[in-house]
Amino acid sequence: PMDYQVLIVGGGFSGSEAAYALACRGVRVGLLTQSLDTVYLPFTPLPEPGPEGSLMAEVGAVGMKGWELHAKAKYRLEGEPQLHLFQSSATRLVLEGRRVVGVETWEGPRRMASRVVLALGSFLMPRLTIGDVVEEAGRLSEAAYPDLYENLLALGFSFVDQHAEVAAQDGTPGYSVRYKSFAPAEWEAESFRLGRLEGLYGLGLCVLGQGTYARMASEGLRLAENFAVELG
Ligand code: FAD
């Protein structure tokens, strides 16, 4: 039995935006993310307005600080009856032949869905460098675990190297993150499919490699639009 029509892994900008837009259209969505305290949390105050019709536009404003945006967005996500936001780490895809039917989690339970969307951001094999310290983290103080990346590698997916810098701000020193994104040939931009497997989709930074918060929100809305049409 399926737990959700759509299961989204990663509660960043793209994944949250897609989950919210789908739930508002009546689709039953699971939004699984490894830390509820970093849902919809930017690295810097919001630099530009969110796209029309987005959660970013609904709760955000230019210059809004990270924690305020996070708190407001999370409140909306949790208030959406068709959306189940929960904390868990996805470690492996559950397969039936070449079809993805859910994910395994580090905590134990499998979460099943007819469509699985990976919205993993900068958390595929990241290395964060701050001063002399190197951590396995996709952002400051948010650890990344290698399991899902290793599973994707074993399934034959290929990746490319990416790099982003965060400037020093408010007494926090600057830092940089190296991470992987899916190789361009793995992802079909029009349909969001990660074509190597059925029922698997990629969204946001983990397939685009680079981009802004507003772009990630737009991509989330675009995925929701596509899925809503396909799911009737
Ligand atoms: P994210 O927002 O990164 O969200 C991904 C989520 O998935 C995370 O919460 C993570 O915990 C979760 N996750 C990952 N793997 C798993 C798993 N296996 N199980 C469960 N949960 C998982 N853009 C700007 O516009 N302005 C900036 O200043 C800016 N600075 C950036 C700095 C850095 C270091 C990086 C890497 C990117 C920056 N970007 C910036 C680019 C981009 O807009 C952001 O990275 C944006 O957060 C990407 O959105 P996303 O939804 O794709 O992923």
Side-chain angles (χ1 to χ4, degrees):
M2 295 294 169
D3 298 308
Y4 313 102
Q5 287 174 281
V6 179
L7 175 63
I8 299 177
V9 181
F13 291 95
S14 63
S16 299
E17 205 64 70
Y20 188 67
L22 282 167
C24 289
R25 287 174 167 86
V27 176
R28 197 156 42 86
V29 190
L31 179 58
L32 174 170
T33 201
Q34 65 176 16
S35 161
L36 287 179
D37 286 341
T38 55
V39 169
Y40 221 88
L41 180 66
F43 295 86
T44 61
L46 205 57
E48 56 182 321
E52 197 186 326
S54 64
L55 178 59
M56 190 177 283
E58 197 175 313
V59 301
V62 173
M64 186 181 274
K65 290 210 169 152
W67 288 112
E68 190 180 352
L69 183 65
H70 152 79
K72 289 191 161 148
K74 184 161 166 269
Y75 185 82
R76 292 294 171 98
L77 292 166
E78 289 183 327
E80 205 41 62
Q82 289 288 72
L83 199 168
H84 180 205
L85 171 63
F86 63 101
Q87 181 163 312
S88 201
S89 286
T91 50
R92 296 173 70 85
L93 301 177
V94 180
L95 293 172
E96 276 176 15
R98 298 303 288 172
R99 169 164 284 279
V100 178
V101 293
V103 301
E104 290 182 11
T105 64
W106 185 85
E107 292 77 6
R110 290 178 163 199
R111 303 290 181 158
M112 309 301 275
S114 40
R115 292 173 180 227
V116 171
V117 179
L118 301 181
L120 309 171
S122 54
F123 286 73
L124 284 167
M125 255 292 278
R127 292 291 176 274
L128 186 153
T129 304
I130 181 164
D132 295 336
V133 178
V134 180
E135 298 176 343
E136 289 184 43
R139 61 161 75 231
L140 205 56
S141 309
E142 192 175 343
Y145 306 99
D147 312 61
L148 185 58
Y149 174 71
E150 284 167 6
N151 180 230
L152 292 166
L153 269 185
L155 289 166
F157 285 98
S158 56
F159 299 88
V160 292
D161 293 319
Q162 302 289 347
H163 178 230
E165 303 274 345
V166 179
Q169 49 172 326
D170 294 340
T172 311
Y175 65 96
S176 68
V177 183
R178 295 185 179 282
Y179 55 98
K180 307 276 187 191
S181 62
F182 283 95
E186 301 287 357
W187 186 63
E188 202 206 304
E190 194 72 30
S191 64
F192 294 90
R193 282 179 195 279
L194 288 165
R196 200 170 282 280
L197 297 170
E198 288 292 306
L200 187 67
Y201 301 81
L203 176 64
L205 198 74
C206 71
V207 283
L208 296 172
Q210 298 285 334
T212 62
Y213 304 134
R215 174 90 200 280
M216 302 304 149
S218 300
E219 283 290 284
L221 292 178
R222 185 169 75 87
L223 179 131
E225 203 75 52
N226 280 16
F227 277 23
V229 170
E230 291 166 12
L231 294 166

